[in-house]
Short mmCIF file of all heavy atoms in Angstrom, two decimals:
data_model
loop_
_atom_site.label_atom_id
_atom_site.label_comp_id
_atom_site.label_asym_id
_atom_site.label_seq_id
_atom_site.Cartn_x
_atom_site.Cartn_y
_atom_site.Cartn_z
N LYS A 1 -17.08 -225.35 3.83
CA LYS A 1 -17.73 -224.35 2.99
C LYS A 1 -17.70 -222.97 3.65
O LYS A 1 -17.54 -222.84 4.86
CB LYS A 1 -19.17 -224.77 2.69
CG LYS A 1 -19.24 -226.07 1.90
CD LYS A 1 -20.53 -226.24 1.15
CE LYS A 1 -20.49 -227.48 0.28
NZ LYS A 1 -21.68 -227.59 -0.58
N THR A 2 -17.84 -221.96 2.81
CA THR A 2 -17.97 -220.58 3.28
C THR A 2 -19.45 -220.24 3.29
O THR A 2 -20.09 -220.23 2.24
CB THR A 2 -17.21 -219.60 2.36
OG1 THR A 2 -15.83 -219.94 2.36
CG2 THR A 2 -17.38 -218.17 2.81
N VAL A 3 -19.99 -219.99 4.48
CA VAL A 3 -21.41 -219.67 4.64
C VAL A 3 -21.50 -218.24 5.16
O VAL A 3 -20.93 -217.92 6.20
CB VAL A 3 -22.09 -220.63 5.63
CG1 VAL A 3 -23.58 -220.32 5.73
CG2 VAL A 3 -21.88 -222.09 5.21
N ILE A 4 -22.20 -217.40 4.42
CA ILE A 4 -22.39 -216.00 4.81
C ILE A 4 -23.88 -215.73 4.81
O ILE A 4 -24.56 -215.92 3.80
CB ILE A 4 -21.69 -215.03 3.84
CG1 ILE A 4 -20.22 -215.43 3.65
CG2 ILE A 4 -21.79 -213.60 4.35
CD1 ILE A 4 -19.53 -214.67 2.53
N SER A 5 -24.42 -215.31 5.95
CA SER A 5 -25.86 -215.07 6.05
C SER A 5 -26.12 -213.77 6.78
O SER A 5 -25.29 -213.30 7.57
CB SER A 5 -26.55 -216.24 6.76
OG SER A 5 -26.03 -216.42 8.06
N ALA A 6 -27.27 -213.19 6.52
CA ALA A 6 -27.78 -212.08 7.30
C ALA A 6 -28.91 -212.61 8.16
O ALA A 6 -29.75 -213.40 7.69
CB ALA A 6 -28.30 -210.96 6.39
N LEU A 7 -28.92 -212.22 9.44
CA LEU A 7 -29.95 -212.68 10.36
C LEU A 7 -30.41 -211.52 11.24
O LEU A 7 -29.61 -210.69 11.66
CB LEU A 7 -29.42 -213.79 11.27
CG LEU A 7 -29.18 -215.18 10.67
CD1 LEU A 7 -28.58 -216.10 11.72
CD2 LEU A 7 -30.47 -215.77 10.13
N HIS A 8 -31.72 -211.50 11.51
CA HIS A 8 -32.26 -210.56 12.50
C HIS A 8 -32.17 -211.13 13.91
O HIS A 8 -32.02 -210.38 14.87
CB HIS A 8 -33.73 -210.23 12.18
CG HIS A 8 -33.87 -209.10 11.20
ND1 HIS A 8 -34.25 -209.29 9.89
CD2 HIS A 8 -33.68 -207.77 11.35
CE1 HIS A 8 -34.28 -208.12 9.28
NE2 HIS A 8 -33.95 -207.19 10.13
N ASP A 9 -32.31 -212.44 14.04
CA ASP A 9 -32.32 -213.07 15.36
C ASP A 9 -30.89 -213.14 15.90
O ASP A 9 -30.08 -213.96 15.46
CB ASP A 9 -32.93 -214.47 15.25
CG ASP A 9 -33.20 -215.09 16.62
OD1 ASP A 9 -32.28 -215.06 17.45
OD2 ASP A 9 -34.31 -215.61 16.83
N LEU A 10 -30.60 -212.29 16.88
CA LEU A 10 -29.23 -212.19 17.37
C LEU A 10 -28.79 -213.45 18.12
O LEU A 10 -27.62 -213.83 18.07
CB LEU A 10 -29.09 -210.97 18.27
CG LEU A 10 -29.25 -209.62 17.58
CD1 LEU A 10 -29.11 -208.49 18.60
CD2 LEU A 10 -28.25 -209.44 16.45
N SER A 11 -29.71 -214.10 18.82
CA SER A 11 -29.32 -215.31 19.55
C SER A 11 -28.93 -216.42 18.58
O SER A 11 -27.98 -217.18 18.85
CB SER A 11 -30.46 -215.77 20.46
OG SER A 11 -30.62 -214.85 21.53
N LEU A 12 -29.62 -216.53 17.45
CA LEU A 12 -29.21 -217.49 16.42
C LEU A 12 -27.89 -217.06 15.80
O LEU A 12 -27.00 -217.89 15.57
CB LEU A 12 -30.28 -217.62 15.35
CG LEU A 12 -31.61 -218.25 15.75
CD1 LEU A 12 -32.57 -218.28 14.56
CD2 LEU A 12 -31.42 -219.65 16.31
N ALA A 13 -27.73 -215.77 15.55
CA ALA A 13 -26.50 -215.27 14.94
C ALA A 13 -25.29 -215.57 15.82
O ALA A 13 -24.20 -215.85 15.31
CB ALA A 13 -26.61 -213.77 14.70
N LEU A 14 -25.47 -215.52 17.13
CA LEU A 14 -24.36 -215.75 18.05
C LEU A 14 -23.91 -217.21 18.09
O LEU A 14 -22.97 -217.54 18.81
CB LEU A 14 -24.75 -215.27 19.46
CG LEU A 14 -24.73 -213.76 19.64
CD1 LEU A 14 -25.51 -213.35 20.89
CD2 LEU A 14 -23.30 -213.24 19.71
N GLN A 15 -24.55 -218.07 17.32
CA GLN A 15 -24.11 -219.46 17.20
C GLN A 15 -23.12 -219.64 16.05
O GLN A 15 -22.58 -220.73 15.85
CB GLN A 15 -25.31 -220.39 16.98
CG GLN A 15 -26.45 -220.20 17.96
CD GLN A 15 -25.99 -220.19 19.40
OE1 GLN A 15 -25.28 -221.08 19.85
NE2 GLN A 15 -26.39 -219.15 20.14
N ALA A 16 -22.87 -218.58 15.29
CA ALA A 16 -21.97 -218.66 14.15
C ALA A 16 -20.52 -218.61 14.59
O ALA A 16 -20.20 -218.40 15.77
CB ALA A 16 -22.27 -217.52 13.17
N ASP A 17 -19.61 -218.79 13.64
CA ASP A 17 -18.18 -218.70 13.93
C ASP A 17 -17.74 -217.25 14.08
O ASP A 17 -16.83 -216.94 14.86
CB ASP A 17 -17.36 -219.35 12.80
CG ASP A 17 -17.69 -220.82 12.62
OD1 ASP A 17 -17.65 -221.56 13.62
OD2 ASP A 17 -17.99 -221.23 11.48
N ARG A 18 -18.40 -216.37 13.33
CA ARG A 18 -17.93 -214.99 13.25
C ARG A 18 -19.13 -214.09 12.97
O ARG A 18 -20.04 -214.46 12.23
CB ARG A 18 -16.91 -214.87 12.11
CG ARG A 18 -16.46 -213.48 11.73
CD ARG A 18 -15.63 -213.57 10.46
NE ARG A 18 -15.18 -212.29 9.97
CZ ARG A 18 -15.04 -211.99 8.68
NH1 ARG A 18 -15.35 -212.90 7.76
NH2 ARG A 18 -14.59 -210.81 8.31
N LEU A 19 -19.12 -212.91 13.57
CA LEU A 19 -20.16 -211.90 13.33
C LEU A 19 -19.53 -210.66 12.70
O LEU A 19 -18.41 -210.27 13.05
CB LEU A 19 -20.86 -211.50 14.63
CG LEU A 19 -22.26 -212.06 14.86
CD1 LEU A 19 -22.21 -213.57 14.93
CD2 LEU A 19 -22.87 -211.47 16.12
N ILE A 20 -20.27 -210.05 11.80
CA ILE A 20 -19.96 -208.72 11.28
C ILE A 20 -21.10 -207.82 11.69
O ILE A 20 -22.27 -208.08 11.37
CB ILE A 20 -19.81 -208.75 9.74
CG1 ILE A 20 -18.59 -209.58 9.35
CG2 ILE A 20 -19.70 -207.33 9.19
CD1 ILE A 20 -18.48 -209.84 7.87
N VAL A 21 -20.79 -206.78 12.44
CA VAL A 21 -21.80 -205.86 12.98
C VAL A 21 -21.82 -204.62 12.10
O VAL A 21 -20.79 -203.94 11.95
CB VAL A 21 -21.49 -205.48 14.44
CG1 VAL A 21 -22.58 -204.55 14.98
CG2 VAL A 21 -21.38 -206.73 15.30
N MET A 22 -23.00 -204.33 11.52
CA MET A 22 -23.14 -203.17 10.64
C MET A 22 -24.15 -202.18 11.20
O MET A 22 -25.09 -202.57 11.92
CB MET A 22 -23.57 -203.61 9.24
CG MET A 22 -22.57 -204.48 8.51
SD MET A 22 -23.02 -204.73 6.78
CE MET A 22 -22.80 -203.07 6.13
N ALA A 23 -23.97 -200.93 10.85
CA ALA A 23 -24.95 -199.88 11.14
C ALA A 23 -24.72 -198.76 10.15
O ALA A 23 -23.57 -198.41 9.85
CB ALA A 23 -24.82 -199.37 12.57
N ALA A 24 -25.81 -198.22 9.61
CA ALA A 24 -25.75 -197.10 8.67
C ALA A 24 -24.77 -197.34 7.53
O ALA A 24 -24.06 -196.42 7.09
CB ALA A 24 -25.40 -195.81 9.42
N GLY A 25 -24.72 -198.58 7.04
CA GLY A 25 -23.91 -198.88 5.87
C GLY A 25 -22.44 -199.05 6.11
O GLY A 25 -21.66 -199.16 5.16
N ARG A 26 -22.04 -199.11 7.38
CA ARG A 26 -20.62 -199.25 7.70
C ARG A 26 -20.41 -200.48 8.60
O ARG A 26 -21.30 -200.85 9.37
CB ARG A 26 -20.10 -198.01 8.42
CG ARG A 26 -20.20 -196.73 7.62
CD ARG A 26 -19.64 -195.54 8.39
NE ARG A 26 -19.88 -194.30 7.68
CZ ARG A 26 -19.10 -193.79 6.73
NH1 ARG A 26 -18.00 -194.46 6.38
NH2 ARG A 26 -19.38 -192.66 6.13
N VAL A 27 -19.23 -201.06 8.52
CA VAL A 27 -18.85 -202.15 9.42
C VAL A 27 -18.35 -201.53 10.72
O VAL A 27 -17.38 -200.78 10.73
CB VAL A 27 -17.76 -203.03 8.80
CG1 VAL A 27 -17.29 -204.08 9.80
CG2 VAL A 27 -18.28 -203.71 7.53
N HIS A 28 -19.05 -201.85 11.83
CA HIS A 28 -18.67 -201.31 13.13
C HIS A 28 -17.78 -202.25 13.91
O HIS A 28 -16.99 -201.81 14.75
CB HIS A 28 -19.93 -200.98 13.95
CG HIS A 28 -20.53 -199.66 13.59
ND1 HIS A 28 -20.64 -198.62 14.48
CD2 HIS A 28 -21.01 -199.19 12.41
CE1 HIS A 28 -21.19 -197.58 13.88
NE2 HIS A 28 -21.42 -197.91 12.62
N ALA A 29 -17.90 -203.53 13.68
CA ALA A 29 -17.06 -204.50 14.38
C ALA A 29 -17.17 -205.84 13.67
O ALA A 29 -18.14 -206.10 12.95
CB ALA A 29 -17.49 -204.65 15.84
N GLN A 30 -16.19 -206.67 13.88
CA GLN A 30 -16.24 -208.06 13.41
C GLN A 30 -15.36 -208.89 14.32
O GLN A 30 -14.38 -208.40 14.89
CB GLN A 30 -15.77 -208.18 11.97
CG GLN A 30 -14.38 -207.64 11.70
CD GLN A 30 -13.98 -207.81 10.24
OE1 GLN A 30 -14.04 -208.91 9.69
NE2 GLN A 30 -13.59 -206.72 9.61
N GLY A 31 -15.76 -210.14 14.51
CA GLY A 31 -14.97 -211.01 15.37
C GLY A 31 -15.73 -212.25 15.77
O GLY A 31 -16.85 -212.49 15.32
N ALA A 32 -15.09 -213.04 16.63
CA ALA A 32 -15.70 -214.27 17.13
C ALA A 32 -16.88 -213.93 18.03
O ALA A 32 -16.94 -212.86 18.65
CB ALA A 32 -14.66 -215.09 17.88
N CYS A 33 -17.81 -214.87 18.13
CA CYS A 33 -19.06 -214.61 18.84
C CYS A 33 -18.89 -214.52 20.34
O CYS A 33 -19.82 -214.11 21.04
CB CYS A 33 -20.10 -215.67 18.48
SG CYS A 33 -20.56 -215.58 16.75
N ASP A 34 -17.72 -214.92 20.87
CA ASP A 34 -17.48 -214.79 22.30
C ASP A 34 -16.61 -213.58 22.64
O ASP A 34 -16.15 -213.44 23.79
CB ASP A 34 -16.84 -216.07 22.85
CG ASP A 34 -15.51 -216.40 22.18
OD1 ASP A 34 -15.12 -215.68 21.23
OD2 ASP A 34 -14.86 -217.37 22.62
N ASP A 35 -16.38 -212.71 21.68
CA ASP A 35 -15.51 -211.55 21.87
C ASP A 35 -16.24 -210.44 22.62
O ASP A 35 -17.25 -209.93 22.12
CB ASP A 35 -15.05 -211.05 20.49
CG ASP A 35 -14.04 -209.92 20.58
OD1 ASP A 35 -13.90 -209.31 21.66
OD2 ASP A 35 -13.41 -209.62 19.55
N PRO A 36 -15.77 -210.03 23.81
CA PRO A 36 -16.44 -208.97 24.56
C PRO A 36 -16.55 -207.65 23.79
O PRO A 36 -17.54 -206.92 23.95
CB PRO A 36 -15.56 -208.81 25.81
CG PRO A 36 -14.85 -210.12 25.95
CD PRO A 36 -14.62 -210.59 24.55
N LEU A 37 -15.54 -207.34 22.98
CA LEU A 37 -15.60 -206.11 22.20
C LEU A 37 -16.71 -206.18 21.16
O LEU A 37 -17.38 -205.17 20.87
CB LEU A 37 -14.26 -205.83 21.53
CG LEU A 37 -13.10 -205.51 22.48
CD1 LEU A 37 -11.80 -205.32 21.68
CD2 LEU A 37 -13.41 -204.27 23.31
N LEU A 38 -16.92 -207.37 20.59
CA LEU A 38 -18.01 -207.56 19.65
C LEU A 38 -19.35 -207.39 20.35
O LEU A 38 -20.27 -206.75 19.84
CB LEU A 38 -17.93 -208.93 19.00
CG LEU A 38 -18.99 -209.15 17.93
CD1 LEU A 38 -18.41 -208.94 16.55
CD2 LEU A 38 -19.58 -210.55 18.03
N HIS A 39 -19.48 -207.95 21.55
CA HIS A 39 -20.71 -207.80 22.33
C HIS A 39 -21.00 -206.33 22.60
O HIS A 39 -22.14 -205.87 22.49
CB HIS A 39 -20.60 -208.56 23.65
CG HIS A 39 -20.48 -210.04 23.49
ND1 HIS A 39 -20.23 -210.90 24.55
CD2 HIS A 39 -20.55 -210.84 22.39
CE1 HIS A 39 -20.17 -212.14 24.10
NE2 HIS A 39 -20.35 -212.12 22.80
N ALA A 40 -19.97 -205.58 22.95
CA ALA A 40 -20.14 -204.15 23.22
C ALA A 40 -20.62 -203.42 21.96
O ALA A 40 -21.48 -202.52 22.04
CB ALA A 40 -18.84 -203.55 23.72
N ALA A 41 -20.09 -203.80 20.79
CA ALA A 41 -20.51 -203.18 19.55
C ALA A 41 -21.97 -203.50 19.24
O ALA A 41 -22.73 -202.63 18.77
CB ALA A 41 -19.62 -203.64 18.40
N LEU A 42 -22.38 -204.75 19.50
CA LEU A 42 -23.78 -205.12 19.30
C LEU A 42 -24.70 -204.27 20.16
O LEU A 42 -25.72 -203.75 19.70
CB LEU A 42 -23.98 -206.60 19.64
CG LEU A 42 -23.65 -207.63 18.57
CD1 LEU A 42 -23.72 -209.04 19.15
CD2 LEU A 42 -24.59 -207.49 17.38
N ILE A 43 -24.36 -204.16 21.43
CA ILE A 43 -25.18 -203.37 22.35
C ILE A 43 -25.25 -201.92 21.89
O ILE A 43 -26.30 -201.27 21.93
CB ILE A 43 -24.62 -203.48 23.79
CG1 ILE A 43 -24.81 -204.91 24.30
CG2 ILE A 43 -25.29 -202.47 24.73
CD1 ILE A 43 -24.04 -205.21 25.57
N ASP A 44 -24.13 -201.41 21.39
CA ASP A 44 -24.07 -200.02 20.94
C ASP A 44 -24.96 -199.78 19.73
O ASP A 44 -25.75 -198.83 19.70
CB ASP A 44 -22.62 -199.65 20.62
CG ASP A 44 -22.49 -198.21 20.16
OD1 ASP A 44 -22.93 -197.30 20.89
OD2 ASP A 44 -21.95 -197.99 19.06
N VAL A 45 -24.84 -200.64 18.67
CA VAL A 45 -25.60 -200.37 17.45
C VAL A 45 -27.10 -200.60 17.66
O VAL A 45 -27.92 -200.02 16.94
CB VAL A 45 -25.10 -201.20 16.25
CG1 VAL A 45 -23.65 -200.90 15.96
CG2 VAL A 45 -25.35 -202.68 16.43
N PHE A 46 -27.46 -201.40 18.66
CA PHE A 46 -28.88 -201.58 18.99
C PHE A 46 -29.32 -200.66 20.14
O PHE A 46 -30.35 -200.88 20.77
CB PHE A 46 -29.18 -203.04 19.30
CG PHE A 46 -29.21 -203.92 18.08
CD1 PHE A 46 -28.12 -204.70 17.73
CD2 PHE A 46 -30.32 -203.93 17.25
CE1 PHE A 46 -28.13 -205.48 16.58
CE2 PHE A 46 -30.35 -204.71 16.10
CZ PHE A 46 -29.25 -205.49 15.76
#
């Protein structure tokens, strides 16, 4: 199945297959949860 959810809890979110990182209505990054570039984007938007 295709499961798409929004979550505030980042530690739970990091258990997913893929994250989409948004800020101010734009997609800032997307990728696998072990991607260092995705981690950097998370740190940046927060």
Side-chain angles (χ1 to χ4, degrees):
K1 297 202 174 186
T2 298
V3 182
I4 308 170
S5 59
L7 288 176
H8 274 106
D9 190 311
L10 294 179
S11 291
L12 293 179
L14 285 163
Q15 310 311 309
D17 299 309
R18 171 189 178 214
L19 256 62
I20 294 171
V21 181
M22 296 189 68
R26 299 181 186 275
V27 175
H28 278 242
Q30 57 180 306
C33 295
D34 59 355
D35 185 345
L37 294 177
L38 184 100
H39 296 173
L42 277 172
I43 292 168
D44 181 56
V45 301
F46 285 100

